[in-house]
Amino acid sequence: MAKESSVKDFIISSIKSPSSIHTTPAWTGSPQIAKTSALQRSTSEIDLGWSREEHAAIKIQAAYRGYLAVFRGYLVRRQVHLALHRMETLMSLQARLRSKQLFINNNQ
């Protein structure tokens, strides 16, 4: 349940208001330039023909794919950790058996 809520929080936090979908550079000029940039941004959105819902869907998909990439990385790291642990266990068992065989051979 905690993982589901963290995934939900992750996806929700990555979704922003439609005006922040496109990044705007920091303006050092006049406010008129910033207004023009916002106007250009809204016309470019109209040119693409994407609605608010489509933008939101894209953001959700990107967040989900990012979460999947993180989760897959976690799975691979866990798998490597388990494999190394098992290998160490096998090596210690092998060392015990060899020392036991040496002990038996030396006492005969």
Side-chain angles (χ1 to χ4, degrees), residues 3-56:
K3 285 186 180 182
E4 290 178 9
S5 64
S6 65
V7 172
K8 184 178 176 184
D9 293 340
F10 177 75
I11 291 172
I12 290 173
S13 67
S14 66
I15 300 172
K16 299 180 178 154
S17 65
S19 63
S20 65
I21 290 174
H22 295 285
T23 57
T24 42
W27 292 103
T28 57
S30 68
Q32 184 61 34
I33 294 173
K35 287 180 185 176
T36 306
S37 170
L39 181 61
Q40 289 170 346
R41 201 173 49 235
S42 23
T43 56
S44 68
E45 289 175 7
I46 293 170
D47 292 341
L48 294 175
W50 291 349
S51 67
R52 249 178 110 168
E53 290 81 14
E54 288 171 321
H55 277 293

Side-chain angles (χ1 to χ4, degrees), residues 42-99:
S42 23
T43 56
S44 68
E45 289 175 7
I46 293 170
D47 292 341
L48 294 175
W50 291 349
S51 67
R52 249 178 110 168
E53 290 81 14
E54 288 171 321
H55 277 293
I58 290 169
K59 292 304 251 181
I60 290 170
Q61 288 172 355
Y64 181 71
R65 289 176 183 151
Y67 177 78
L68 278 182
V70 169
F71 187 69
R72 286 181 186 135
Y74 161 74
L75 289 178
V76 168
R77 285 189 303 276
R78 187 177 76 173
Q79 207 172 21
V80 167
H81 174 74
L82 290 174
L84 287 175
H85 181 70
R86 289 176 183 149
M87 192 180 298
E88 288 172 1
T89 304
L90 288 174
M91 288 171 51
S92 68
L93 285 173
Q94 185 180 29
R96 279 187 200 172
L97 286 174
R98 284 186 181 169
S99 67

